Amino acid sequence: MPTDPTATTRTSRFSYSETIATLSQAIVSTGNALFATIDQAAAAAKVGLQLRPTTLIVFGNPKGGTPLMDAFPLTALELPLKLLVWEAEGTVNVSYVPAAGLAARYGVTGMESILQNMDRALDALTGAVT
């Protein structure tokens, strides 16, 4: 299976549904906004296609993301933050693009504190299920 060198993937210790529930609860309990939970496998099934269990969780904190998007407008293509929960061959995975990858992609400079906070949040959230 192809991988993205800029993405981080961690294996969850929970089932697929427990992983989504645990991450969603952790997102809200840490003061972030849970903007959307998109069941991509269900969307595929609605058009007669099959997809492994795959859910995209979209979340963030406007206090962190807004200054970044204001200074570097194209970062809004990547924000809010996202966690991808997917299951393959009985293993539940959680993937995300670290803020450093976002910074490199869009030439972000001078926002190290915000980027570090984003990476800490992603690491802490995924740590809740791994």
Side-chain angles (χ1 to χ4, degrees):
M1 182 173 302
T3 60
D4 178 348
T6 64
T8 296
T9 298
R10 298 173 76 178
T11 301
S12 177
R13 60 190 156 111
F14 297 115
S15 71
Y16 177 74
S17 59
E18 289 173 311
T19 299
I20 294 167
T22 302
L23 287 170
S24 298
Q25 181 179 11
I27 287 166
V28 172
S29 70
T30 55
N32 289 290
L34 180 59
F35 296 117
T37 301
I38 304 166
D39 185 337
Q40 295 172 317
K46 286 182 181 179
V47 296
L49 298 173
Q50 191 171 24
L51 178 65
R52 73 183 55 81
T54 305
T55 296
L56 185 68
I57 301 172
V58 182
F59 71 97
N61 186 325
K63 286 183 181 181
T66 301
L68 190 58
M69 290 184 287
D70 186 44
F72 299 90
L74 293 181
T75 60
L77 291 167
E78 310 278 342
L79 296 172
L81 296 172
K82 296 161 198 71
L83 292 171
L84 180 66
V85 180
W86 54 286
E87 185 173 1
E89 300 174 8
T91 300
V92 177
N93 302 287
V94 181
S95 300
Y96 62 92
V97 176
L102 176 127
R105 186 173 293 139
Y106 298 105
V108 174
T109 57
M111 299 283 190
E112 289 76 17
S113 177
I114 290 172
L115 296 168
Q116 288 170 354
N117 287 338
M118 288 179 174
D119 279 339
R120 275 195 289 273
L122 289 163
D123 190 51
L125 289 168
T126 56
V129 298
T130 59

mmCIF file of all heavy atoms in Angstrom, residues 12 14-39 55-60 82-85 94 121-122 124-129:
data_model
loop_
_atom_site.group_PDB
_atom_site.id
_atom_site.type_symbol
_atom_site.label_atom_id
_atom_site.label_comp_id
_atom_site.label_asym_id
_atom_site.label_seq_id
_atom_site.Cartn_x
_atom_site.Cartn_y
_atom_site.Cartn_z
ATOM 1 N N SER A 12 -3.794 1.970 16.333
ATOM 2 C CA SER A 12 -4.651 2.118 17.509
ATOM 3 C C SER A 12 -4.728 0.799 18.273
ATOM 4 O O SER A 12 -4.689 -0.278 17.685
ATOM 5 C CB SER A 12 -6.062 2.533 17.081
ATOM 6 O OG SER A 12 -6.915 2.600 18.216
ATOM 7 N N PHE A 14 -7.400 0.218 19.994
ATOM 8 C CA PHE A 14 -8.839 0.030 20.103
ATOM 9 C C PHE A 14 -9.425 -0.448 18.778
ATOM 10 O O PHE A 14 -8.781 -0.381 17.731
ATOM 11 C CB PHE A 14 -9.525 1.354 20.482
ATOM 12 C CG PHE A 14 -9.126 1.884 21.822
ATOM 13 C CD1 PHE A 14 -8.438 3.090 21.917
ATOM 14 C CD2 PHE A 14 -9.420 1.209 23.000
ATOM 15 C CE1 PHE A 14 -8.071 3.610 23.155
ATOM 16 C CE2 PHE A 14 -9.057 1.706 24.232
ATOM 17 C CZ PHE A 14 -8.379 2.915 24.311
ATOM 18 N N SER A 15 -10.683 -0.869 18.843
ATOM 19 C CA SER A 15 -11.404 -1.203 17.623
ATOM 20 C C SER A 15 -11.635 0.073 16.820
ATOM 21 O O SER A 15 -11.431 1.191 17.310
ATOM 22 C CB SER A 15 -12.758 -1.838 17.965
ATOM 23 O OG SER A 15 -13.634 -0.852 18.510
ATOM 24 N N TYR A 16 -12.086 -0.103 15.604
ATOM 25 C CA TYR A 16 -12.355 1.033 14.717
ATOM 26 C C TYR A 16 -13.335 2.019 15.362
ATOM 27 O O TYR A 16 -13.033 3.206 15.487
ATOM 28 C CB TYR A 16 -12.892 0.486 13.391
ATOM 29 C CG TYR A 16 -13.284 1.532 12.386
ATOM 30 C CD1 TYR A 16 -12.324 2.247 11.693
ATOM 31 C CD2 TYR A 16 -14.622 1.787 12.115
ATOM 32 C CE1 TYR A 16 -12.678 3.201 10.754
ATOM 33 C CE2 TYR A 16 -14.983 2.734 11.176
ATOM 34 C CZ TYR A 16 -14.012 3.443 10.506
ATOM 35 O OH TYR A 16 -14.369 4.381 9.579
ATOM 36 N N SER A 17 -14.487 1.539 15.798
ATOM 37 C CA SER A 17 -15.493 2.442 16.375
ATOM 38 C C SER A 17 -15.024 3.040 17.697
ATOM 39 O O SER A 17 -15.283 4.214 17.978
ATOM 40 C CB SER A 17 -16.840 1.741 16.540
ATOM 41 O OG SER A 17 -16.716 0.613 17.374
ATOM 42 N N GLU A 18 -14.318 2.260 18.511
ATOM 43 C CA GLU A 18 -13.785 2.792 19.775
ATOM 44 C C GLU A 18 -12.731 3.858 19.516
ATOM 45 O O GLU A 18 -12.632 4.838 20.268
ATOM 46 C CB GLU A 18 -13.174 1.675 20.622
ATOM 47 C CG GLU A 18 -14.179 0.711 21.221
ATOM 48 C CD GLU A 18 -13.485 -0.456 21.908
ATOM 49 O OE1 GLU A 18 -12.577 -1.064 21.286
ATOM 50 O OE2 GLU A 18 -13.848 -0.748 23.060
ATOM 51 N N THR A 19 -11.940 3.680 18.477
ATOM 52 C CA THR A 19 -10.922 4.668 18.135
ATOM 53 C C THR A 19 -11.567 5.993 17.778
ATOM 54 O O THR A 19 -11.160 7.054 18.275
ATOM 55 C CB THR A 19 -10.039 4.160 16.968
ATOM 56 O OG1 THR A 19 -9.373 2.959 17.385
ATOM 57 C CG2 THR A 19 -9.015 5.203 16.547
ATOM 58 N N ILE A 20 -12.596 5.954 16.940
ATOM 59 C CA ILE A 20 -13.295 7.185 16.556
ATOM 60 C C ILE A 20 -13.922 7.843 17.771
ATOM 61 O O ILE A 20 -13.792 9.060 17.966
ATOM 62 C CB ILE A 20 -14.357 6.885 15.476
ATOM 63 C CG1 ILE A 20 -13.653 6.436 14.191
ATOM 64 C CG2 ILE A 20 -15.237 8.105 15.222
ATOM 65 C CD1 ILE A 20 -14.579 5.812 13.174
ATOM 66 N N ALA A 21 -14.576 7.069 18.618
ATOM 67 C CA ALA A 21 -15.222 7.622 19.814
ATOM 68 C C ALA A 21 -14.199 8.223 20.774
ATOM 69 O O ALA A 21 -14.403 9.325 21.304
ATOM 70 C CB ALA A 21 -16.040 6.537 20.514
ATOM 71 N N THR A 22 -13.095 7.530 20.981
ATOM 72 C CA THR A 22 -12.061 8.016 21.907
ATOM 73 C C THR A 22 -11.418 9.291 21.382
ATOM 74 O O THR A 22 -11.216 10.252 22.142
ATOM 75 C CB THR A 22 -11.002 6.922 22.145
ATOM 76 O OG1 THR A 22 -11.648 5.763 22.673
ATOM 77 C CG2 THR A 22 -9.929 7.394 23.108
ATOM 78 N N LEU A 23 -11.099 9.310 20.098
ATOM 79 C CA LEU A 23 -10.515 10.517 19.520
ATOM 80 C C LEU A 23 -11.491 11.690 19.584
ATOM 81 O O LEU A 23 -11.105 12.804 19.948
ATOM 82 C CB LEU A 23 -10.107 10.270 18.064
ATOM 83 C CG LEU A 23 -8.870 9.408 17.854
ATOM 84 C CD1 LEU A 23 -8.724 9.045 16.388
ATOM 85 C CD2 LEU A 23 -7.621 10.106 18.369
ATOM 86 N N SER A 24 -12.747 11.456 19.264
ATOM 87 C CA SER A 24 -13.753 12.528 19.296
ATOM 88 C C SER A 24 -13.893 13.104 20.688
ATOM 89 O O SER A 24 -13.934 14.327 20.864
ATOM 90 C CB SER A 24 -15.102 11.996 18.796
ATOM 91 O OG SER A 24 -14.995 11.569 17.457
ATOM 92 N N GLN A 25 -13.935 12.228 21.682
ATOM 93 C CA GLN A 25 -14.033 12.690 23.067
ATOM 94 C C GLN A 25 -12.781 13.463 23.469
ATOM 95 O O GLN A 25 -12.862 14.507 24.113
ATOM 96 C CB GLN A 25 -14.253 11.510 24.000
ATOM 97 C CG GLN A 25 -14.401 11.912 25.456
ATOM 98 C CD GLN A 25 -14.631 10.726 26.368
ATOM 99 O OE1 GLN A 25 -14.495 9.572 25.964
ATOM 100 N NE2 GLN A 25 -14.973 11.000 27.606
ATOM 101 N N ALA A 26 -11.618 12.983 23.090
ATOM 102 C CA ALA A 26 -10.359 13.662 23.427
ATOM 103 C C ALA A 26 -10.279 15.027 22.761
ATOM 104 O O ALA A 26 -9.798 15.994 23.367
ATOM 105 C CB ALA A 26 -9.170 12.797 23.025
ATOM 106 N N ILE A 27 -10.745 15.134 21.534
ATOM 107 C CA ILE A 27 -10.738 16.414 20.818
ATOM 108 C C ILE A 27 -11.561 17.438 21.577
ATOM 109 O O ILE A 27 -11.099 18.549 21.852
ATOM 110 C CB ILE A 27 -11.255 16.227 19.372
ATOM 111 C CG1 ILE A 27 -10.199 15.512 18.538
ATOM 112 C CG2 ILE A 27 -11.641 17.567 18.747
ATOM 113 C CD1 ILE A 27 -10.704 14.971 17.206
ATOM 114 N N VAL A 28 -12.763 17.078 21.943
ATOM 115 C CA VAL A 28 -13.665 18.013 22.642
ATOM 116 C C VAL A 28 -13.151 18.320 24.053
ATOM 117 O O VAL A 28 -13.153 19.478 24.478
ATOM 118 C CB VAL A 28 -15.096 17.442 22.675
ATOM 119 C CG1 VAL A 28 -16.008 18.288 23.542
ATOM 120 C CG2 VAL A 28 -15.650 17.341 21.254
ATOM 121 N N SER A 29 -12.661 17.298 24.751
ATOM 122 C CA SER A 29 -12.224 17.513 26.138
ATOM 123 C C SER A 29 -10.968 18.374 26.240
ATOM 124 O O SER A 29 -10.689 18.934 27.299
ATOM 125 C CB SER A 29 -12.015 16.180 26.850
ATOM 126 O OG SER A 29 -10.886 15.513 26.355
ATOM 127 N N THR A 30 -10.217 18.497 25.144
ATOM 128 C CA THR A 30 -9.023 19.344 25.165
ATOM 129 C C THR A 30 -9.313 20.757 24.655
ATOM 130 O O THR A 30 -8.383 21.532 24.426
ATOM 131 C CB THR A 30 -7.881 18.715 24.336
ATOM 132 O OG1 THR A 30 -8.339 18.447 23.009
ATOM 133 C CG2 THR A 30 -7.383 17.428 24.979
ATOM 134 N N GLY A 31 -10.582 21.079 24.471
ATOM 135 C CA GLY A 31 -10.955 22.438 24.090
ATOM 136 C C GLY A 31 -10.946 22.725 22.605
ATOM 137 O O GLY A 31 -11.064 23.871 22.191
ATOM 138 N N ASN A 32 -10.808 21.702 21.796
ATOM 139 C CA ASN A 32 -10.852 21.876 20.352
ATOM 140 C C ASN A 32 -12.288 21.758 19.856
ATOM 141 O O ASN A 32 -13.142 21.182 20.528
ATOM 142 C CB ASN A 32 -9.989 20.813 19.667
ATOM 143 C CG ASN A 32 -8.522 21.050 19.891
ATOM 144 O OD1 ASN A 32 -7.958 21.999 19.369
ATOM 145 N ND2 ASN A 32 -7.890 20.203 20.683
ATOM 146 N N ALA A 33 -12.527 22.278 18.680
ATOM 147 C CA ALA A 33 -13.837 22.146 18.047
ATOM 148 C C ALA A 33 -13.808 20.932 17.126
ATOM 149 O O ALA A 33 -12.888 20.773 16.334
ATOM 150 C CB ALA A 33 -14.160 23.402 17.250
ATOM 151 N N LEU A 34 -14.824 20.090 17.245
ATOM 152 C CA LEU A 34 -14.993 18.951 16.348
ATOM 153 C C LEU A 34 -15.922 19.422 15.231
ATOM 154 O O LEU A 34 -17.115 19.573 15.428
ATOM 155 C CB LEU A 34 -15.578 17.757 17.100
ATOM 156 C CG LEU A 34 -15.829 16.489 16.319
ATOM 157 C CD1 LEU A 34 -14.542 15.978 15.687
ATOM 158 C CD2 LEU A 34 -16.415 15.432 17.229
ATOM 159 N N PHE A 35 -15.352 19.722 14.075
ATOM 160 C CA PHE A 35 -16.118 20.311 12.980
ATOM 161 C C PHE A 35 -16.910 19.291 12.179
ATOM 162 O O PHE A 35 -18.016 19.568 11.732
ATOM 163 C CB PHE A 35 -15.192 21.088 12.037
ATOM 164 C CG PHE A 35 -14.524 22.265 12.677
ATOM 165 C CD1 PHE A 35 -13.154 22.319 12.800
ATOM 166 C CD2 PHE A 35 -15.270 23.327 13.172
ATOM 167 C CE1 PHE A 35 -12.519 23.411 13.384
ATOM 168 C CE2 PHE A 35 -14.655 24.421 13.766
ATOM 169 C CZ PHE A 35 -13.275 24.456 13.871
ATOM 170 N N ALA A 36 -16.323 18.108 11.966
ATOM 171 C CA ALA A 36 -17.011 17.098 11.161
ATOM 172 C C ALA A 36 -16.387 15.732 11.387
ATOM 173 O O ALA A 36 -15.189 15.612 11.649
ATOM 174 C CB ALA A 36 -16.928 17.449 9.678
ATOM 175 N N THR A 37 -17.230 14.721 11.284
ATOM 176 C CA THR A 37 -16.788 13.341 11.252
ATOM 177 C C THR A 37 -17.392 12.748 9.985
ATOM 178 O O THR A 37 -18.612 12.646 9.875
ATOM 179 C CB THR A 37 -17.252 12.570 12.502
ATOM 180 O OG1 THR A 37 -16.726 13.232 13.663
ATOM 181 C CG2 THR A 37 -16.764 11.139 12.497
ATOM 182 N N ILE A 38 -16.556 12.416 9.033
ATOM 183 C CA ILE A 38 -17.021 11.979 7.718
ATOM 184 C C ILE A 38 -16.736 10.493 7.553
ATOM 185 O O ILE A 38 -15.576 10.074 7.480
ATOM 186 C CB ILE A 38 -16.326 12.795 6.611
ATOM 187 C CG1 ILE A 38 -16.563 14.295 6.828
ATOM 188 C CG2 ILE A 38 -16.810 12.338 5.228
ATOM 189 C CD1 ILE A 38 -15.662 15.182 5.996
ATOM 190 N N ASP A 39 -17.790 9.705 7.491
ATOM 191 C CA ASP A 39 -17.667 8.268 7.272
ATOM 192 C C ASP A 39 -17.543 8.044 5.765
ATOM 193 O O ASP A 39 -18.539 7.989 5.038
ATOM 194 C CB ASP A 39 -18.884 7.547 7.844
ATOM 195 C CG ASP A 39 -18.774 6.036 7.755
ATOM 196 O OD1 ASP A 39 -18.008 5.533 6.896
ATOM 197 O OD2 ASP A 39 -19.465 5.353 8.527
ATOM 198 N N THR A 55 -12.752 6.814 8.178
ATOM 199 C CA THR A 55 -13.438 7.997 8.686
ATOM 200 C C THR A 55 -12.439 9.138 8.832
ATOM 201 O O THR A 55 -11.352 8.962 9.376
ATOM 202 C CB THR A 55 -14.103 7.718 10.052
ATOM 203 O OG1 THR A 55 -15.120 6.728 9.864
ATOM 204 C CG2 THR A 55 -14.721 8.964 10.651
ATOM 205 N N LEU A 56 -12.835 10.306 8.349
ATOM 206 C CA LEU A 56 -12.027 11.512 8.475
ATOM 207 C C LEU A 56 -12.621 12.384 9.569
ATOM 208 O O LEU A 56 -13.812 12.713 9.532
ATOM 209 C CB LEU A 56 -12.009 12.276 7.152
ATOM 210 C CG LEU A 56 -11.106 13.514 7.109
ATOM 211 C CD1 LEU A 56 -9.636 13.104 7.186
ATOM 212 C CD2 LEU A 56 -11.376 14.295 5.831
ATOM 213 N N ILE A 57 -11.814 12.730 10.557
ATOM 214 C CA ILE A 57 -12.238 13.598 11.652
ATOM 215 C C ILE A 57 -11.588 14.959 11.432
ATOM 216 O O ILE A 57 -10.366 15.062 11.351
ATOM 217 C CB ILE A 57 -11.821 13.015 13.023
ATOM 218 C CG1 ILE A 57 -12.437 11.624 13.216
ATOM 219 C CG2 ILE A 57 -12.236 13.951 14.150
ATOM 220 C CD1 ILE A 57 -11.928 10.891 14.444
ATOM 221 N N VAL A 58 -12.424 15.991 11.327
ATOM 222 C CA VAL A 58 -11.954 17.354 11.065
ATOM 223 C C VAL A 58 -12.153 18.160 12.342
ATOM 224 O O VAL A 58 -13.271 18.258 12.846
ATOM 225 C CB VAL A 58 -12.738 17.987 9.888
ATOM 226 C CG1 VAL A 58 -12.209 19.375 9.582
ATOM 227 C CG2 VAL A 58 -12.677 17.094 8.654
ATOM 228 N N PHE A 59 -11.069 18.751 12.833
ATOM 229 C CA PHE A 59 -11.143 19.459 14.114
ATOM 230 C C PHE A 59 -10.095 20.558 14.159
ATOM 231 O O PHE A 59 -9.206 20.628 13.316
ATOM 232 C CB PHE A 59 -10.896 18.479 15.267
ATOM 233 C CG PHE A 59 -9.468 18.022 15.352
ATOM 234 C CD1 PHE A 59 -8.587 18.630 16.231
ATOM 235 C CD2 PHE A 59 -8.994 17.022 14.524
ATOM 236 C CE1 PHE A 59 -7.254 18.230 16.291
ATOM 237 C CE2 PHE A 59 -7.664 16.614 14.572
ATOM 238 C CZ PHE A 59 -6.802 17.215 15.460
ATOM 239 N N GLY A 60 -10.195 21.395 15.162
ATOM 240 C CA GLY A 60 -9.171 22.411 15.336
ATOM 241 C C GLY A 60 -9.520 23.405 16.409
ATOM 242 O O GLY A 60 -10.527 23.283 17.105
ATOM 243 N N LYS A 82 -6.822 17.386 10.581
ATOM 244 C CA LYS A 82 -7.573 16.181 10.249
ATOM 245 C C LYS A 82 -6.872 14.948 10.800
ATOM 246 O O LYS A 82 -5.641 14.874 10.801
ATOM 247 C CB LYS A 82 -7.705 16.035 8.732
ATOM 248 C CG LYS A 82 -8.500 17.143 8.091
ATOM 249 C CD LYS A 82 -8.213 17.208 6.596
ATOM 250 C CE LYS A 82 -8.621 18.524 6.009
ATOM 251 N NZ LYS A 82 -7.787 19.643 6.406
ATOM 252 N N LEU A 83 -7.688 14.014 11.235
ATOM 253 C CA LEU A 83 -7.208 12.683 11.593
ATOM 254 C C LEU A 83 -7.959 11.694 10.723
ATOM 255 O O LEU A 83 -9.191 11.776 10.605
ATOM 256 C CB LEU A 83 -7.491 12.370 13.068
ATOM 257 C CG LEU A 83 -6.723 13.182 14.104
ATOM 258 C CD1 LEU A 83 -7.266 12.906 15.503
ATOM 259 C CD2 LEU A 83 -5.239 12.850 14.040
ATOM 260 N N LEU A 84 -7.254 10.781 10.114
ATOM 261 C CA LEU A 84 -7.864 9.740 9.304
ATOM 262 C C LEU A 84 -7.796 8.434 10.070
ATOM 263 O O LEU A 84 -6.710 7.975 10.429
ATOM 264 C CB LEU A 84 -7.125 9.602 7.969
ATOM 265 C CG LEU A 84 -7.676 8.537 7.028
ATOM 266 C CD1 LEU A 84 -9.072 8.923 6.549
ATOM 267 C CD2 LEU A 84 -6.734 8.327 5.857
ATOM 268 N N VAL A 85 -8.962 7.852 10.333
ATOM 269 C CA VAL A 85 -9.029 6.554 10.995
ATOM 270 C C VAL A 85 -9.412 5.545 9.920
ATOM 271 O O VAL A 85 -10.419 5.719 9.232
ATOM 272 C CB VAL A 85 -10.068 6.552 12.138
ATOM 273 C CG1 VAL A 85 -10.122 5.176 12.814
ATOM 274 C CG2 VAL A 85 -9.750 7.641 13.157
ATOM 275 N N VAL A 94 -4.417 5.359 12.620
ATOM 276 C CA VAL A 94 -4.754 6.779 12.691
ATOM 277 C C VAL A 94 -3.619 7.528 11.992
ATOM 278 O O VAL A 94 -2.453 7.389 12.372
ATOM 279 C CB VAL A 94 -4.900 7.281 14.140
ATOM 280 C CG1 VAL A 94 -5.270 8.748 14.165
ATOM 281 C CG2 VAL A 94 -5.924 6.442 14.902
ATOM 282 N N ALA A 121 -0.612 18.768 19.864
ATOM 283 C CA ALA A 121 -2.017 18.356 19.942
ATOM 284 C C ALA A 121 -2.241 17.061 19.162
ATOM 285 O O ALA A 121 -2.907 16.136 19.653
ATOM 286 C CB ALA A 121 -2.923 19.464 19.414
ATOM 287 N N LEU A 122 -1.694 16.977 17.955
ATOM 288 C CA LEU A 122 -1.848 15.760 17.147
ATOM 289 C C LEU A 122 -1.214 14.559 17.840
ATOM 290 O O LEU A 122 -1.791 13.468 17.869
ATOM 291 C CB LEU A 122 -1.234 15.971 15.759
ATOM 292 C CG LEU A 122 -2.006 16.908 14.837
ATOM 293 C CD1 LEU A 122 -1.124 17.365 13.675
ATOM 294 C CD2 LEU A 122 -3.279 16.248 14.331
ATOM 295 N N ALA A 124 -0.665 14.203 21.112
ATOM 296 C CA ALA A 124 -1.425 13.865 22.319
ATOM 297 C C ALA A 124 -2.726 13.141 21.965
ATOM 298 O O ALA A 124 -3.100 12.151 22.610
ATOM 299 C CB ALA A 124 -1.724 15.121 23.130
ATOM 300 N N LEU A 125 -3.399 13.607 20.948
ATOM 301 C CA LEU A 125 -4.659 12.978 20.557
ATOM 302 C C LEU A 125 -4.424 11.542 20.073
ATOM 303 O O LEU A 125 -5.143 10.629 20.482
ATOM 304 C CB LEU A 125 -5.367 13.802 19.480
ATOM 305 C CG LEU A 125 -5.951 15.120 19.963
ATOM 306 C CD1 LEU A 125 -6.375 15.986 18.776
ATOM 307 C CD2 LEU A 125 -7.115 14.889 20.919
ATOM 308 N N THR A 126 -3.461 11.359 19.209
ATOM 309 C CA THR A 126 -3.198 10.003 18.724
ATOM 310 C C THR A 126 -2.647 9.126 19.849
ATOM 311 O O THR A 126 -2.891 7.925 19.869
ATOM 312 C CB THR A 126 -2.268 9.992 17.508
ATOM 313 O OG1 THR A 126 -1.054 10.662 17.835
ATOM 314 C CG2 THR A 126 -2.932 10.660 16.306
ATOM 315 N N GLY A 127 -1.957 9.751 20.788
ATOM 316 C CA GLY A 127 -1.466 9.006 21.956
ATOM 317 C C GLY A 127 -2.595 8.455 22.811
ATOM 318 O O GLY A 127 -2.414 7.453 23.525
ATOM 319 N N ALA A 128 -3.768 9.041 22.735
ATOM 320 C CA ALA A 128 -4.923 8.564 23.504
ATOM 321 C C ALA A 128 -5.436 7.219 22.999
ATOM 322 O O ALA A 128 -6.159 6.530 23.714
ATOM 323 C CB ALA A 128 -6.045 9.604 23.463
ATOM 324 N N VAL A 129 -5.059 6.848 21.776
ATOM 325 C CA VAL A 129 -5.560 5.581 21.223
ATOM 326 C C VAL A 129 -4.450 4.586 20.884
ATOM 327 O O VAL A 129 -4.723 3.480 20.444
ATOM 328 C CB VAL A 129 -6.451 5.811 19.966
ATOM 329 C CG1 VAL A 129 -7.679 6.617 20.331
ATOM 330 C CG2 VAL A 129 -5.676 6.453 18.836
#
